Amino acid sequence: MANPGGKRRLKEAMAGYAFMSPVILILGCFLLLPILYAIFLSLHKVNLLGHVSYKFTGTANFERMIDDPRLWIALRNTAKYALIVVPCQTFLALVLAAILNMKLRFRNFFRVAYYLPTVTSSAVLVLIFMWIYNRNGLLNYLLEAVGLPTYNWLGDPTVALFGIMIMNIWSTAPLFMVIYLAALQDIPDSLYEAAEIDGANAWQKFWRITVPQLQPVTFYVLVMGIIGTFQLFDQSYIFSGGSGGPNNATLTMVLLIYQYAFKNMDMGYASALAFMLAVVIMLITLVQRLIFKEDKAN
């Protein structure tokens, strides 16, 4: 005899999957299949010119990374960029959010004004900062006006990457500021009132109440910041004209992947690099998660 309960559960499951099918199809076509295809490409030598062909090479593309000097330069630049930009933008976002959470005059105006760089096109921001850093740009004009020597900011390998860092800190911190600002609204005023009764000053309230209460948000901001910095491409591409110069100073991992894929037409090796970058980002995220869990437990 058929089980009526089992039939009902089967119908409910089929109805649920029917409702989810559009999302499953979209994610499958535009997320899962590209990932699988990239893994497939990373194990092959691909010829895209003329007759498309695939030659299985196993782990040759991954072994090739060890002897690729430009890969290590790109990794060093990207790691250096992330180590400086992520803490700076996180700290600046937290400070701005704490200030704009106070009862200030024209508070809403400053919130909108600080957020404007985030909604500005990345390409436009790069062009503005290139004009500022140019030999005849605003920065050298101001230096010359006060009697200081001018500098070739875009042509010096020692400072070119720092120019991109400053631009990104200025343009991304407001986005995380809004996230922190929303989280600050949820901290109960009673915690601060109790701390005041106990004699806590402003710094103690910030360090002992605000920062711990914002820990989940800080974890999110750090993870998104690291993912964003490791995916740096457009700013570096426009600054260097796609070369990663001067002298590979602005060469990043994603720009290197682009060069191998679309300039050298070495799609197999580029896919292997992309897969390696994804693994690095996942490992860093897992380490952050473990650190934050340990801090929470303590």
Side-chain angles (χ1 to χ4, degrees):
M1 188 174 179
N3 184 359
K7 283 186 176 181
R8 187 176 66 253
R9 285 194 295 271
L10 179 61
K11 285 183 179 180
E12 290 175 354
M14 289 178 65
Y17 282 113
F19 281 114
M20 290 192 302
S21 58
V23 176
I24 294 173
L25 286 172
I26 291 172
L27 291 178
C29 291
F30 297 101
L31 184 65
L32 183 59
L33 286 180
I35 291 173
L36 295 176
Y37 185 58
I39 296 173
F40 170 80
L41 290 178
S42 68
L43 301 174
H44 291 76
K45 183 177 181 180
V46 185
N47 179 27
L48 296 178
L49 297 176
H51 178 67
V52 179
S53 62
Y54 304 94
K55 181 182 177 182
F56 181 75
T57 57
T59 58
N61 285 324
F62 295 95
E63 294 169 5
R64 179 180 163 188
M65 296 179 189
I66 300 172
D67 299 321
D68 187 353
R70 299 191 77 230
L71 168 62
W72 299 108
I73 292 172
L75 273 173
R76 185 180 69 243
N77 288 342
T78 306
K80 179 181 176 182
Y81 179 87
L83 286 172
I84 295 176
V85 170
V86 174
C88 289
Q89 71 184 12
T90 304
F91 176 76
L92 181 60
L94 179 57
V95 171
L96 288 174
I99 293 172
L100 294 179
N101 194 46
M102 299 176 184
K103 296 178 180 179
L104 304 172
R105 289 188 66 186
F106 309 112
R107 181 175 60 177
N108 291 334
F109 167 77
F110 286 114
R111 288 178 178 178
V112 174
Y114 288 153
Y115 189 71
L116 283 177
T118 301
V119 299
T120 306
S121 168
S122 177
V124 173
L125 286 176
V126 174
L127 292 175
I128 291 171
F129 272 82
M130 285 182 70
W131 169 71
I132 293 173
Y133 294 142
N134 197 282
R135 274 190 174 277
N136 300 318
L138 179 63
L139 184 56
N140 278 340
Y141 174 79
L142 293 175
L143 291 173
E144 192 175 11
V146 296
L148 294 175
T150 59
Y151 198 73
N152 183 14
W153 303 99
L154 295 176
D156 189 345
T158 59
V159 299
L161 187 63
F162 289 101
I164 301 178
M165 290 180 188
I166 292 170
M167 184 198 71
N168 273 275
I169 292 169
W170 177 77
S171 62
T172 56
L175 172 63
F176 298 127
M177 174 199 74
V178 173
I179 297 172
Y180 271 125
L181 197 56
L184 285 169
Q185 311 294 318
D186 293 333
I187 300 178
D189 291 335
S190 57
L191 294 177
Y192 296 105
E193 292 168 359
E196 274 190 37
I197 293 172
D198 290 338
N201 56 33
W203 170 251
Q204 289 171 330
K205 286 189 288 185
F206 177 78
W207 186 250
R208 298 290 183 180
I209 297 175
T210 305
V211 173
Q213 290 290 320
L214 294 175
Q215 192 178 75
V217 180
T218 302
F219 171 74
Y220 171 79
V221 168
L222 288 175
V223 169
M224 296 305 294
I226 286 177
I227 292 173
T229 53
F230 269 82
Q231 292 178 340
L232 175 70
F233 170 73
D234 50 348
Q235 296 95 329
S236 179
Y237 180 88
I238 299 172
F239 257 95
S240 65
S243 66
N247 196 24
N248 292 325
T250 59
L251 182 66
T252 62
M253 276 301 303
V254 180
L255 180 57
L256 182 67
I257 293 168
Y258 167 83
Q259 289 178 350
Y260 276 117
F262 300 106
K263 285 190 174 182
N264 300 349
M265 302 306 289
D266 194 349
M267 199 65 69
Y269 185 54
S271 298
L273 290 174
F275 183 77
M276 184 269 291
L277 178 61
V279 171
V280 169
I281 292 174
M282 285 190 290
L283 288 175
I284 293 174
T285 304
L286 287 174
V287 170
Q288 281 184 301
R289 188 177 180 85
L290 290 174
I291 291 173
F292 271 78
K293 272 189 176 180
E294 187 176 337
D295 288 344
K296 191 175 181 180
N298 292 335

